[in-house]
Structure formats: C-alpha cells, structure tokens
Amino acid sequence: MSSAAEGLPLPGQPPIDGDGPVFDAPWQAQAFSLVVNLHKAGLFEWKTWAEIFSAEIAMAPARPDETVNEAYYRQWVAAMERLLATLGLVAESDVADRAQQWNQAYLNTPHGQPVSLNHASCPPAHEHKHEAKREPVTVVPAASA
Amino acid sequence: MAHSHDHDHEHDGYQAPPEAIALRVKALESLLVEKGLVDPAAIDAVVDTYEHKVGPRNGAKVVAKAWVDAEYKARLLGDATAAIAELGFSGVQGEDMVVLENTPEVHNVTVCTLCSCYPWPTLGLPPAWYKAAPYRSRVVIDPRSVLAEFGLKIPRDKEIRVWDSTAELRYMVLPERPAGTEGMSEEALAELVTRDSMIGTGLPRQPGKA
C-alpha cells in the first residue's frame, strides 16, 4: 500500500455517488481527453502513464480541502506535465509561460468576445458604449467650384 | 506580469481568467495542438464520448447476455476482451479484460490500489469513491466491512476475493443472476445490472424493483 492511502480521512462511509457527471469542470474533461488522445497517437504506453500517475498520487495525495475530482485531476495534470517533459514533448517552463499568456489574454479580452491567445500581446479594441460625439468624425471638404 | 487574476473588479468589462490549473490545461492543450500532437476536434470527441456515450450500460449488456447465453458466458470467462468486443465495446482501458464470476461460494470485488485503473469501455469512467484513497486502501485490508458500508452484507461463509486492476489488465465482475428472473428478456435483465454490481460493491436489482 502506498502513502496515497493516507490522503483522505477515513470516513464512516465511502462517498457513494450515482451515475452522475464524471467531471466537475471543463478543464478536468480536457485534461482527461488530452492524455487519452496522446496515448491513442502512440506517444506512450498506457502502462507508462499509469506508473507516472500512480507515483504522483502517492507523492501528492488528496488534501482535506479538495473534492475527489479536484484532487484526482490535480494529480492527473501534474502527471501529464511530468510525462510530457520526460518525453521531451513539452518543457515545464513552456507550460508556465503559456499559462501566463492565457491569463493575460483573458484580462485583455472584453466580455462577450472569444478569448484568443494573441490577445495576450495584442489586446482587441474595447467596444465601449457608443459615446456621444459632438464633432463630425469625418469631414470631406466641399470641392471648390 | 502586470496583472493578477484576483482583481477583476478593477478591470470591469474584461474577462476574469479561470483558476490556475485550468490555465495550465489550456496552456498544455494549445502547445500540443501547435506541435501537431493532438487534434482539437479529437479532444472534444473524447470528452463527448465519456460524458454522454460510454457508461455502465455497456457492461450491463455484457452481463445480461452472459446470463441468457451459456456459450457467450463461456467465451466471456475465457477471453473477456474478445467476448466484450463482440458487442462492439473496446478501446482505451479495455484492451485486456478479465471477467470474474460471482457464485454462491465466492464474491468478487475490484479496485485499483495505485490509481484508478478501470474498464472504461464497459463501465464508463469510475465513480468518485473508486478514485479516492479510503476505498483504494481499505477494500484490500477489510473488504467485508467496506462492502457492508455499501449496504452489501456478504455472509461469513462466503469467500471474498479482491482483485487489483492495473494498467495491464482490468477486472469486471459478472454478478449472479437474481432469483425470479426466469423467462425475462435480455433487455429487461440488463436493466437489473447496476454499475456497482459489476465493480463488486453491489448486487443487481431484484426484478420488480427496477
């Protein structure tokens, strides 16, 4: 038995759920799908994934303030980052840099517009409410007679 | 970075970034797409499949068929992967399946002690408790008590076998066919088969109580 077993306090009852949603949030589903797709693309054996994921669960067990899925997919994402770095596919520093860029892209994107990565460096024009303009915006001078 | 994500009130009109881990997943996805390692449409397809299309109903069909078709049951217990693929269920985490038959003498229950290996093509994604440390650790130490907490009282004179699924092979339980189901159709029988009965933490529904 690994130390992963010490992660959660032992409840009187195992938490029993129905056949409800398996993901709490879209990012969990995306993280899940990325690993499945990379495996399907032949980039690693499932056994390799299970070893890295198991090691991550043992090393960074669930915390009392996390739901099961929060802990599980935190471990899942960390294991994916480690695997991709080990395979030389994505460096961890690249992930950190790109996450910062996405953060900035959100901050630069007005409500109602799709968030695009290039907004990080090139914010789109903010569509302010149409302000009253008391001067003509364009003037074409009359042609001289 | 000039901005942090917790000041959206100062930044009215702009979008608040999601939590840090969601940004990391977004970062990974965009980097992998750029490198041509994943296809965005395929990412969405897998999400859709596991949210809507794969689930324990697939496994229930396997169980019901084994209950009505002795030859199928023999194939299922002999080579579960091939017998399950006959019904069209295969894929990631379904490559090497072993089906364990419950009998009047033996009750089987499955776990993955190290992570959450689980037969996705037949059972969908695992329930939260299957992924949580208490179940993973305790069911191997004291299965009778853990099963009792699920409301499943296994008589003292019945053997309990706990099977640890791994990345190489995944177990699924073939529960005993409930009494009083003689003459029921395969479709009606499948309705009695619960997810937990195929993990081994429950029994099929009784007829008339579905």
Side-chain angles (χ1 to χ4, degrees), chain B residues 109-185:
Chain B
V109 58
T110 64
V111 63
C112 171
T113 55
L114 288 185
C115 50
S116 56
C117 296
Y118 189 77
W120 295 347
T122 39
L123 299 190
L125 296 183
W129 54 260
Y130 186 90
K131 299 182 285 191
Y135 177 76
R136 290 192 283 109
S137 59
R138 292 180 60 226
V139 77
V140 293
I141 298 166
D142 185 7
R144 209 174 291 274
S145 299
V146 170
L147 293 178
E149 289 166 15
F150 277 88
L152 181 58
K153 301 267 195 296
I154 303 296
R156 288 275 151 199
D157 59 356
K158 193 171 204 175
E159 181 173 314
I160 298 176
R161 295 180 187 163
V162 182
W163 303 78
D164 191 4
S165 286
T166 67
E168 281 85 30
L169 69 104
R170 296 99 191 163
Y171 295 107
M172 183 178 114
V173 174
L174 174 59
E176 288 182 89
R177 180 170 172 166
T181 58
E182 299 77 11
M184 282 178 68
S185 71

Side-chain angles (χ1 to χ4, degrees), chain B residues 85-113:
Chain B
E86 283 178 37
L87 302 190
F89 310 134
S90 60
V92 178
Q93 290 249 45
E95 297 92 345
D96 294 287
M97 292 289 301
V98 173
V99 168
L100 309 160
E101 183 183 18
N102 280 352
T103 68
E105 293 78 35
V106 176
H107 181 86
N108 295 288
V109 58
T110 64
V111 63
C112 171
T113 55

Side-chain angles (χ1 to χ4, degrees), chain A residues 19, chain B residues 57 178 181 190-194 197 203-207 209-210:
Chain A
D19 290 350
Chain B
R57 299 336 303 158
T181 58
E191 292 301 311
L192 302 180
V193 181
T194 63
S197 74
L203 296 179
R205 297 185 185 96
Q206 294 298 310
K209 294 182 184 171

Side-chain angles (χ1 to χ4, degrees), chain B residues 51-64:
Chain B
E51 282 190 329
H52 303 296
K53 296 183 186 140
V54 179
R57 299 336 303 158
N58 291 355
K61 289 176 190 160
V62 171
V63 168

Side-chain angles (χ1 to χ4, degrees), chain A residues 4-5 12-15 17-19 33 47 69 72 81 89 98 102-104 106-107 109-111 113 115 126, chain B residues 1 3 11 13-15 17 19 24 26 30 34-35 42-43 46 93 116 127-129 131 133 137 149 168 195:
Chain A
Q13 297 253 181
D17 65 0
D19 290 350
S33 180
K47 183 175 182 294
N69 273 341
Y72 184 76
E81 287 189 28
L89 295 173
R98 180 58 62 89
W102 275 115
N103 189 64
Q104 192 60 47
Y106 274 86
L107 294 170
T109 302
H111 278 305
Q113 290 191 30
V115 179
H126 194 175
Chain B
M1 190 59 54
H3 299 282
H11 214 83
Y14 291 88
Q15 301 194 18
E19 58 188 311
R24 270 168 55 209
K26 212 165 166 53
S30 64
E34 279 169 21
K35 289 170 190 277
I43 296 169
V46 167
Q93 290 249 45
S116 56
W129 54 260
K131 299 182 285 191
S137 59
E149 289 166 15
E168 281 85 30
R195 178 196 63 204

